[in-house]
Amino acid sequence: MPAALNIGGQQFGLLTARERIAKDSHGAWLSRCVCACGRDVVVRGSTLVAGRTTACASCATSQANTTHGGTGTALYLRWRAMLARCEDPNHRGWKNYGGRGIEVADEWHDFETFRSDMGASFALELELDRIDPNGHYKPSNCRWTTRADQQNNRRNNHRVTWRGETRTVKQWATATGIKANTILYRLRRGWDVERALTTPSRVLLEIANEVVT
């Protein structure tokens, strides 16, 4: 039986592995991946590692049909994904981008201009990040970062108001002793701010119980 491959977070061409989800009919592990274009795809872990699958079906077709220019390249797909997040209500990321007013600068609707502005610093493992998460996609507000850096920036920039004071989640984590990721998880689960910032984490509870006993 094929061994389970621990490939979460690794990049394979245009695909980034997210999580191992199940076995197929032959006992091989399947992984949920996200393509650079934003599509979800389920792929055998072994085919990813072997390099036989490096993009979703749509992007693979686009790459195969590319004869000139940047169409179908990783940079082009990042550009298309940026536009889709902001301008396509059917895109899975719409609510966090176009749905809350994030726009793409007029000049960046032209791929050649986008490539001229951002192409020199691009690498396959990088994601397009907005310096001000509430700002638009434009040259002065964008940079290339790793996915890990993006997640950290989102955590650090997420601001929460509690008892009349507004701080970032990271600052509230320092003040309360509760991990920032725990606070974010609670808020996303629908906890009110008071409960999220005052309920001790499991580790804290265990320590408290040890002290009492």
Side-chain angles (χ1 to χ4, degrees):
M1 182 178 294
L5 298 173
N6 184 17
I7 57 176
Q10 295 184 38
Q11 187 121 14
F12 302 90
L14 299 181
L15 298 176
T16 300
R18 286 284 176 263
E19 59 183 344
R20 195 170 62 231
I21 57 174
K23 293 181 181 179
D24 65 13
S25 59
H26 299 286
W29 280 100
L30 301 173
S31 291
R32 184 178 68 83
C33 303
V34 178
C35 187
C37 68
R39 294 184 178 90
D40 286 325
V41 60
V42 175
V43 186
R44 272 190 181 186
S46 58
T47 66
L48 290 170
V49 173
R52 294 195 296 272
T53 303
T54 60
C56 70
S58 178
C59 291
T61 300
S62 178
Q63 286 179 319
N65 292 336
T66 297
T67 57
H68 65 280
T71 306
T73 63
L75 181 64
Y76 178 84
L77 293 173
R78 298 287 198 282
W79 174 72
R80 287 289 302 272
M82 170 189 69
L83 291 173
R85 289 193 296 271
C86 294
E87 300 177 2
D88 180 5
N90 294 318
H91 189 277
R92 64 192 183 94
W94 160 261
K95 66 178 182 179
N96 295 319
Y97 294 89
R100 66 185 190 89
I102 304 300
E103 300 176 353
V104 176
D106 289 341
E107 62 267 30
W108 273 10
H109 282 76
D110 174 64
F111 174 65
E112 291 302 324
T113 302
F114 176 78
R115 179 162 63 178
S116 176
D117 289 338
M118 302 296 295
S121 57
F122 173 68
L124 188 61
E125 70 275 10
L126 301 178
E127 301 286 341
L128 187 61
D129 181 52
R130 284 166 298 124
I131 299 169
D132 174 4
N134 295 311
H136 301 307
Y137 283 102
K138 57 184 180 179
S140 62
N141 192 44
C142 287
R143 61 190 173 187
W144 296 109
T145 64
T146 64
R147 184 171 294 273
D149 285 339
Q150 274 195 326
Q151 294 300 323
N152 188 54
N153 290 338
R154 288 172 185 152
R155 182 187 69 185
N156 292 346
N157 289 322
H158 190 109
R159 304 181 71 83
V160 174
T161 300
W162 181 46
R163 298 180 180 177
E165 184 175 357
T166 300
R167 299 185 185 183
T168 64
V169 167
K170 185 176 181 179
Q171 289 170 332
W172 282 124
T174 300
T176 62
I178 301 171
K179 291 182 178 180
N181 287 337
T182 298
I183 295 173
L184 279 176
Y185 174 78
R186 290 172 173 180
L187 294 173
R188 289 167 180 164
R189 290 285 300 234
W191 290 32
D192 60 60
V193 174
E194 179 75 22
R195 183 186 175 199
L197 296 180
T198 58
T199 302
S201 65
R202 181 177 300 174
V203 172
L204 292 177
L205 286 172
E206 290 175 353
I207 293 174
N209 289 334
E210 289 177 1
V211 171
V212 171
T213 57

